[in-house]
Amino acid sequence: CRGLFACSRLLRRRAAAHLASDVYHALSLVALAELVFSLYLTSPMPDTVVFVYGIAIGGQLIELLAEREPRRADLVRLAFLGATGLTIKLSLAGLAVATPAVALAWWTWRCGRSIATTMQAATLALLAALPPALTWIYLNTVSSGFPFYPAALLPLGVDWIARVDATAFIQGPMAVAPISMAFRDPAWWHQHLESLGWFQPDALRPLAAVAFGFAVMLVGRSWTWWTGRRPLLPLLLLAAPLLASWFSFTNTPMVRYQGAALWILAIDMIVLALPEPRERASLLLRLLVVATALAGAASPVWRGMPAWLDLKEFESTSPPVVHDETLPSGLVVKVPQNQVCWYAPLPCTPEPNKGLRMRDPGDLGDGFSIDPPAK
């Protein structure tokens, strides 16, 4: 809805005060269309929320950077949104941390007239981030015994404390080799990236958009410099999506963990090509943006993808093949053959620990604990 509203405002030849925000949200229709026509809408994975939340927080940063005198309230709101992103999924951490950091840096540059005013703004932003951050810490503590899980910091002396190698187990098959391998053994590097999905359409489309956005940015910034116009937004805007993409790639380099970072990067580059408008933005520019947004949003239909997915239920999956294993504690667990439990009867785990037991036998709701190995 926000993207369609931005298109309508661009077509109504409104004053250019919201040009950067309108262009961003209009072009975000291209990214959102790719999401709508994918299977993620009928998947229990949180990728849909991560993607949409990333687009939303990117738009909030655009609005703050477009202001000559950004409001402190906008900075505080971004701090709250960033901290809330951490509670959704850790793959959002790069964008969730980088976005308010960029906002604080810009606010300090434009409005931080003294150390005292900067510290006051930073304190308010921190206070706004505390409620979601404390919620995240509480949930981590209850579920794992580590306040900052999966980091093994400040472990609590509780009997349900979890193993901290779960993240390593997930990241292991996706480990990124040193960049030097790309020069020493290009064929292996290519195969490794292919196994991670970087040559699938879900990756190639946003990467193509990044290449297009980079070309547009170079042409636009060069023309702005040549004509003596001021650019609409600072290059600092790129810091947030670049850091988010780098964080995801170095930790969990599968394409889907990028969320919307690549799309945000591409759209931000196009917005950075814009010069600071005069009283009204050029009609040709506004029409070009709207036409690009609508054509890109219609691209999935042109590729023959179904116009509407069946949203009655989740995508079907093959039932897991499991077998029973009795642990020394007497607990009987289901162990899947393919490392995923899906909807197998509980309790189920792909790696049964010999010390696993129920805290209250017969009550799954009370959780589990792992006895220390015998010396």
Side-chain angles (χ1 to χ4, degrees), residues 40 43-53 88-92 256-257:
Y40 289 120
S43 167
M45 296 185 295
D47 297 73
T48 300
V49 178
V50 170
F51 194 99
V52 174
Y53 198 89
I88 299 174
K89 193 176 182 181
L90 278 181
S91 59
L92 257 175
R256 71 182 185 89
Y257 291 111

Side-chain angles (χ1 to χ4, degrees), residues 148-164:
F148 303 99
Y149 189 82
L153 299 175
L154 305 177
L156 302 180
V158 293
D159 63 347
W160 69 83
I161 196 162
R163 291 163 46 183
V164 294

